[in-house]
Amino acid sequence: MKNFKTYTFSVLLTLAILNSACGPDNNSGCNNLNVIQNTYTGDIFVNSGGQDPSADFEGNNDSGIYSFEWCNPKGRASLDFDITTTVGGSVNIVLRDHEGIVVLNKTRPSGGEDSFSGVSDKGMRGTWTVEVTLMNVNGDGSWSMHPGD
């Protein structure tokens, strides 16, 4: 009976360790900032990575998509972005959570409200997808993100 209890305890301990190592709280399996797509014809300057990625962009009437993976250990994201460009330019940022559900979709055009600061809807923590669509950028801008509650 003692061997059975020892065996059961060992199995339960192993399962607990494996669950904590592979669960959604552990982002060690993330490919943080792994670029998925980059068709933007202008310049993207990644300033920082990790949990708080940020970048600047410049363009001379350039368009395209820049998307990447982001390890978000929390269920929300705080996002700031802006664009300074001539009339007709815009930036759109879409955040998808670990399950691929859109938790934020914001566009800022030139000439109007050209900056955004806010928090995404609640999503599943883990590897998120960030898709930045830049259209007719004749100027510059930036974005930054942080895990949020």
Side-chain angles (χ1 to χ4, degrees), residues 1-111:
M1 184 70 166
K2 182 178 179 183
N3 286 342
F4 178 74
K5 287 181 181 180
T6 302
Y7 174 77
T8 302
F9 177 76
S10 296
V11 169
L12 290 176
L13 180 62
T14 301
L15 289 174
I17 291 170
L18 288 174
N19 185 44
S20 67
C22 300
D25 290 334
N26 185 336
N27 289 324
S28 63
C30 287
N31 291 318
N32 205 27
L33 302 182
N34 180 42
V35 175
I36 299 168
Q37 180 180 15
N38 184 6
T39 62
Y40 182 57
T41 55
D43 294 313
I44 303 276
F45 306 99
V46 177
N47 300 319
S48 64
Q51 290 185 9
D52 302 309
S54 68
D56 297 319
F57 57 88
E58 295 178 347
N60 186 12
N61 204 30
D62 292 297
S63 299
I65 296 173
Y66 183 81
S67 61
F68 60 95
E69 293 177 330
W70 173 49
C71 294
N72 185 355
K74 299 191 176 183
R76 295 187 193 272
S78 173
L79 173 68
D80 299 296
F81 71 94
D82 67 87
I83 182 172
T84 304
T85 184
T86 57
V87 175
S90 67
V91 61
N92 170 261
I93 297 185
V94 176
L95 301 180
R96 289 183 177 83
D97 73 358
H98 183 72
E99 295 179 333
I101 297 169
V102 174
V103 294
L104 185 133
N105 184 348
K106 294 292 180 187
T107 301
R108 287 298 178 253
S110 62

Side-chain angles (χ1 to χ4, degrees), residues 97-133:
D97 73 358
H98 183 72
E99 295 179 333
I101 297 169
V102 174
V103 294
L104 185 133
N105 184 348
K106 294 292 180 187
T107 301
R108 287 298 178 253
S110 62
E113 180 60 43
D114 61 358
S115 63
F116 172 83
S117 182
V119 177
S120 72
D121 292 337
K122 186 148 180 65
M124 177 64 76
R125 63 183 166 231
T127 302
W128 286 29
T129 302
V130 179
E131 182 176 284
V132 182
T133 302

